[in-house]
Amino acid sequence: MKQLKALQILATLFFLSLTCGFYSPAALSFDWDKMQQKIEKYKAKKKELKAKKQQLDLATGKVSQKDEINIGRNVISGLLGAAPLVEDDRLQQYINEVGYWIALQSERPELPWTFGVINSPHVNAFASPGGFIVVTLGLYELLENESQLASILAHEISHVIEKHHLDAIQDTSKKEILGALAVKATSKKHREKMQRLVNSSVQIYARGLDKRFEYGADRRGVVLAARAGYDPYALLDVLMTLRSLGQEDTMAVFLNTHPPLKDRITVLEGLMDRHLHIEKIPHDNERLQTMNQSLGKKNTDG
Amino acid sequence: MKLTRFRLLLLVTFLTSTKVLASDATIISDTALYERPSIASPQTLFAKAGTPVTIVSRAGSWKEVNIADGSLAWVRSYKVRNGTIIITEKEKDSGGFFSGLASLSRKASGLFSSEKKGYSFQRTATIGVRGLSEEQIKKATPNLAELRKMESYRSSRKKTQAYAQKGKLKATQLAHLPRSEAEQ
């Protein structure tokens, strides 16, 4: 490729000299090494500019979609390190179908949306940049119908759409992101740097986002769920169930990282009363209960 | 004689312990009931958590319910939940918030085939202590094998659309809501 480029330049120079009447054998004595040096110099400059651009993008809050997905994959792998997936193919496929259907109604349908139920008794759900979302079994088992599952997934999808976690990671782990993105993605160094990024990023999930982002994800989530044909009021049902759990141990992280449930219910209720006008509330398709009954039976039998 | 003793036993049970309520829905938190689906309409009744009702119709975030005495009223949708509940008098008076809601939800989800044995966490217990407490999240190390497994469950656009159609889900256009004061 490089040689082809050099040959092209050479041919152009040759014809140029011909047309201009400067033809002499000296014009053909081309310094190949010098050319090579120039190419190397150009490449180094390009790399330097790329790094500077990345630094500038990071400073101004821009991360490419490719990098966002890369960061998100690694961060979710950290959470999977804390709690693995529930070993049930049907359950995992089910949550992916419901989740992707909602994501298709969002502003970023092109992301590699990936969902999972993780094996933890804690009640929580997490979203990672690039479209990676997990719900704990502790939360999943509290859901009564598909609309309620959709309401949780739509809330998390909204965090991804709005890049809430990506922004938070950028704020706290600028150095780590830059380190991980600056080296070749397949190298050992990259893995080490990514590990450092994961370590610093997962802290956000223990600390929580800005509470305004949670209200924002509630607001956008109910609309996404309604767009996908689900009952948008199902989120209020879920919040009410969670509120009834009170100060249980399994709620500790959730309660620390989210605004008070009472406030979320009041804010959402008022907002939906004033601005959400849906003529007909869709009936639930009863798919969640049907599937859960067979899962529960299989588990008890096994 | 035998019958009288049975009747007496029934009466004692009824008065002292629990009430088995047969209805298709239950009020889950103390709430006012309204004449129309609006808080601006007159309040007609006040219902305690645990009151059995039948859902008659629905309008937005409101449900129209039929109470045992035959009267109709409107209540906030999330304050009514499908299902019949066995609720003790003590629970009924405990601050008006139905603490048994989570167990009701777990039951309604169908994941639990019996009261005691649910969809257990034991199946992966061999991996070690897992969880998502604050400490466990902070100490988490990446599990790339599990990530690849998660990605293997990813759905395709075609499969998802077929799935939505099967579940009678229709996509509709809807604009986002304006920001609330809580977001300012």
Side-chain angles (χ1 to χ4, degrees), chain A residues 144, chain B residues 21 23-27 51-53 55 81-85 104 108:
Chain A
E144 297 177 13
Chain B
L21 307 166
S23 175
D24 70 354
T26 310
I27 299 282
T51 306
V53 292
I55 299 165
R81 198 65 65 86
N82 283 330
T84 51
I85 318 165
L104 178 70

Side-chain angles (χ1 to χ4, degrees), chain A residues 44 46 74 114 120 219 263 268 275 280:
Chain A
K46 199 178 160 192
N74 282 282
T114 315
S120 167
R219 171 175 60 84
D263 296 349
L268 193 59
H275 304 287
K280 208 176 161 216

Side-chain angles (χ1 to χ4, degrees), chain A residues 73 76-89 92-94 96-97 100-101 104-105 107 109 112-116 118-122 126 132-134 136-137 140-144 146 195 198-199 202-203 205-206 212 215-216 219-220 222-223 226-231 233 236-237 240-241 243-245 253 256 265 267 269 271 273 275-276 278 281 285 287-289 292-293 295-296 298-300, chain B residues 28-29 39 58-63 76-82 97-114 117-125 127 129-134 136-144 146-184:
Chain A
R73 279 187 87 235
I76 204 76
S77 78
L79 287 172
L80 289 168
L85 294 168
V86 171
E87 286 177 44
D88 201 302
D89 295 348
Q92 302 300 350
Q93 282 157 3
Y94 175 63
N96 272 280
E97 266 145 4
Y100 191 36
W101 172 243
L104 285 176
Q105 322 306 325
E107 292 76 10
W113 293 98
T114 315
F115 302 84
I118 52 176
N119 206 340
S120 167
H122 290 263
F126 303 90
F132 300 88
I133 287 162
V134 289
T136 63
L137 186 56
Y140 177 82
E141 64 171 20
L142 286 169
L143 306 174
E144 297 177 13
E146 198 168 285
Q195 164 87 55
V198 171
N199 291 348
V202 289
Q203 309 303 320
Y205 296 89
R212 284 174 303 174
Y215 286 109
R219 171 175 60 84
R220 297 180 75 91
V222 292
V223 169
R227 282 183 191 169
Y230 290 109
D231 172 5
Y233 295 94
L236 284 169
D237 288 338
M240 198 69 178
T241 306
R243 211 185 136 202
S244 79
L245 291 173
V253 176
N256 278 344
I265 292 168
V267 168
E269 178 189 88
L271 206 54
D273 267 357
H275 304 287
L276 193 70
I278 293 177
I281 305 292
N285 55 35
R287 230 163 14 190
L288 183 132
Q289 298 96 315
N292 284 1
Q293 270 158 16
L295 290 181
K298 190 182 93 182
N299 190 56
T300 315
Chain B
I28 56 167
S29 162
I39 44 166
R58 187 166 179 182
S61 65
W62 293 82
K63 278 175 186 154
R76 286 273 190 203
S77 167
Y78 66 86
K79 292 192 170 175
V80 190
R81 198 65 65 86
N82 283 330
F97 193 80
F98 183 44
S99 57
L101 186 56
S103 65
L104 178 70
S105 296
R106 284 190 182 108
K107 210 170 155 189
S109 77
L111 204 53
F112 281 70
S113 51
S114 75
K117 207 168 180 184
Y119 196 80
S120 76
F121 300 96
Q122 295 156 12
R123 299 172 85 194
T124 48
I127 299 173
V129 182
R130 301 285 184 182
L132 287 163
S133 67
E134 194 176 333
Q136 283 159 330
I137 291 173
K138 282 179 178 170
K139 281 183 187 163
T141 54
N143 186 338
L144 293 173
E146 210 61 12
L147 168 70
R148 278 189 285 275
K149 196 170 152 196
M150 183 173 160
E151 286 179 319
S152 76
Y153 293 118
R154 202 181 274 159
S155 186
S156 70
R157 193 178 277 251
K158 207 175 155 191
K159 211 173 137 201
T160 300
Q161 276 160 349
Y163 198 76
Q165 208 170 14
K166 218 171 135 194
K168 295 192 174 74
L169 296 167
K170 275 192 198 137
T172 48
Q173 303 274 330
L174 194 66
H176 277 295
L177 310 176
R179 278 165 202 257
S180 65
E181 273 178 27
E183 281 182 70
Q184 308 296 327

